[in-house]
């Protein structure tokens, strides 16, 4: 066997290890993407999507090459391995790979411009004596203009760094922000149960209830109240298991945090490479 020293590069992931922790990024891979799509000299932007942008399959605009579009989306998908701040925007543009239009291509190019301005960002896993599991859940409401479904997101932290995250469309159409947040919170609690079992196998058992932060007071009250209200009676029964978990306080507890800035919060957790 040959000792190659500390790992520096693996499958497009760059590792920098020191006494303060491990920094993981995809700077070289991001540069390759920019060169491949001729965006290496583009002007950077501060956000990955335009504010209040609504994309539709039926925009009626000029069509673009589907193969080239799918290739770009696939590259950006892999970039989200160390860039959770890209999950939402990349997830949205991936909905139009079957028949992309110019507006979809323009939105994808904006993500590349955002990557250009944040190319050295990644995740810093610092050493810690307290590995407490904390989750954050959020959802928009009827964000997809085609089927009016919402997009749910959650992220989990241990210490000061995110280590697992999801952003995907909800399977049902919700009638209020409360229900949209409730579905997202139920997914978050389900993932919490799996993580707690996994951590117990790794001898990092979570003794106290896991905190899950939700920025919707109605959702928290609905999770705590066993009575089916008129406004929520049509919520699928599979999402109501969250009430039992909150009541037992073994797996998770919901907490309120006003006006969580989802993308901004994730970006603040990303560290710039020195």
């Amino acid at each position: 066997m040959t000792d190659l020293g500390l790992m520096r590069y693996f499958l497009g992931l760059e590792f920098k290890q020191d006494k303060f922790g491990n920094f993981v990024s995809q700077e070289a891979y991001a540069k390759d993407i920019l060169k491949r799509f001729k965006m290496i000299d583009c002007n950077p932007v501060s956000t990955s999507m335009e504010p209040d942008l609504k994309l539709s399959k039926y925009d009626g605009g000029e069509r673009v090459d589907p193969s080239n579009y799918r290739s770009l989306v696939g590259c950006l998908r892999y970039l989200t391995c160390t860039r959770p701040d890209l999950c939402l925007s990349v997830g949205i543009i991936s909905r139009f790979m079957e028949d992309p239009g110019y507006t979809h291509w323009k939105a994808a190019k904006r993500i590349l411009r955002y990557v250009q301005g944040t190319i050295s960002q990644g995740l810093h896993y610092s050493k810690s004596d307290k590995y407490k599991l904390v989750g954050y859940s959020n959802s928009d409401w009827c964000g997809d203009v085609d089927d009016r479904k919402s997009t749910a997101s959650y992220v989990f932290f241990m210490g000061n760094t995110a280590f697992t995250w999801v952003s995907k469309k909800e399977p049902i159409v919700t009638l209020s922000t409360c229900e949209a947040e409730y579905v997202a919170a139920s997914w978050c609690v389900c993932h919490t149960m799996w993580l707690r079992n996994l951590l117990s196998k790794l001898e990092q058992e979570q003794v106290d209830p896991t905190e899950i932060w939700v920025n919707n007071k109605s959702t928290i009250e609905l999770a705590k109240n066993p009575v089916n209200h008129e406004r929520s009676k049509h919520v699928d029964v599979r999402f109501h298991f969250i009430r039992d978990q909150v009541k037992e306080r073994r797996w998770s507890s919901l907490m309120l945090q006003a006006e969580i800035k989802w993308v901004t919060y994730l970006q603040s957790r990303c560290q710039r490479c020195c």
Side-chain angles (χ1 to χ4, degrees):
M1 297 180 65
T2 302
D3 185 3
L4 301 179
L6 296 177
M7 183 167 56
R8 299 292 183 183
Y9 194 85
F10 181 73
L11 295 179
L13 304 179
E14 299 176 56
F15 298 86
K16 295 183 179 180
Q17 306 179 45
D18 53 34
K19 62 180 181 179
F20 301 106
N22 300 329
F23 181 77
V24 186
S25 67
Q26 293 173 281
E27 183 175 352
Y29 180 74
K31 290 180 179 179
D32 290 341
I33 297 175
L34 294 173
K35 290 179 182 178
R36 179 177 177 180
F37 294 94
K38 301 179 182 180
M39 296 286 287
I40 192 65
D41 297 321
C42 65
N43 296 324
V45 293
S46 58
T47 59
S48 59
M49 293 193 71
E50 297 179 9
D52 301 323
L53 176 65
K54 300 294 184 181
L55 298 176
S56 174
K57 296 180 180 179
Y58 315 105
D59 59 354
E62 180 184 355
R63 301 292 97 180
V64 298
D65 182 12
S67 298
N68 200 28
Y69 184 84
R70 293 166 190 161
S71 178
L72 174 55
V73 173
C75 292
L76 292 174
R77 274 289 184 187
Y78 190 67
L79 190 59
T80 59
C81 291
T82 59
R83 297 293 300 273
D85 53 324
L86 298 177
C87 281
L88 176 62
S89 54
V90 173
I92 290 177
I93 65 171
S94 64
R95 300 172 185 173
F96 311 102
M97 291 192 292
E98 181 178 353
D99 185 26
Y102 178 74
T103 56
H104 311 139
W105 180 253
K106 183 179 178 181
K109 284 294 189 72
R110 182 181 176 88
I111 298 178
L112 291 179
R113 294 176 61 193
Y114 172 73
V115 171
Q116 171 73 310
T118 59
I119 198 168
S120 61
Q121 286 190 359
L123 295 173
H124 184 259
Y125 293 91
S126 58
K127 296 180 180 179
S128 175
D129 296 330
K130 297 181 180 179
Y131 291 99
K132 182 179 180 181
L133 182 65
V134 180
Y136 295 83
S137 172
N138 197 16
S139 175
D140 68 351
W141 180 43
C142 301
D144 193 310
V145 297
D146 295 324
D147 56 18
R148 308 312 298 179
K149 293 181 180 179
S150 307
T151 301
S153 304
Y154 61 79
V155 61
F156 285 90
F157 288 83
M158 285 196 72
N160 297 321
T161 308
F163 71 100
T164 179
W165 51 85
V166 165
S167 176
K168 63 180 180 179
K169 190 188 296 186
E170 295 179 357
I172 62 174
V173 178
T174 55
L175 300 183
S176 67
T177 56
C178 171
E179 296 169 20
E181 295 278 2
Y182 191 75
V183 173
S186 67
W187 283 355
C188 189
V189 170
C190 185
H191 196 61
T192 302
M193 298 167 62
W194 182 82
L195 287 175
R196 288 174 65 96
N197 288 329
L198 176 62
L199 291 172
S200 64
K201 300 294 183 180
L202 299 176
E203 299 183 357
Q204 292 291 337
E205 186 174 0
Q206 303 291 302
V207 179
D208 298 327
T210 300
E211 297 177 357
I212 297 178
W213 292 75
V214 180
N215 65 336
N216 187 287
K217 188 174 181 180
S218 299
T219 300
I220 297 174
E221 295 302 323
L222 180 61
K224 293 180 178 179
N225 194 341
V227 179
N228 246 338
H229 295 283
E230 185 71 19
R231 293 173 55 190
S232 62
K233 65 180 181 179
H234 56 280
V235 177
D236 199 309
V237 66
R238 68 178 180 272
F239 298 116
H240 283 306
F241 83 100
I242 187 176
R243 292 174 173 172
D244 296 333
Q245 304 302 324
V246 173
K247 184 178 180 180
E248 293 180 10
R249 292 186 60 82
R250 290 187 298 112
W251 299 107
S252 60
S253 59
L254 294 181
M255 302 184 68
L256 174 65
Q257 181 179 10
E259 298 182 359
I260 295 179
K261 303 296 184 180
W262 184 244
V263 177
T264 304
Y265 183 81
L266 291 180
Q267 291 175 355
S268 67
R269 291 289 184 172
C270 291
Q271 306 292 326
R272 288 188 174 272
C273 177
C274 298

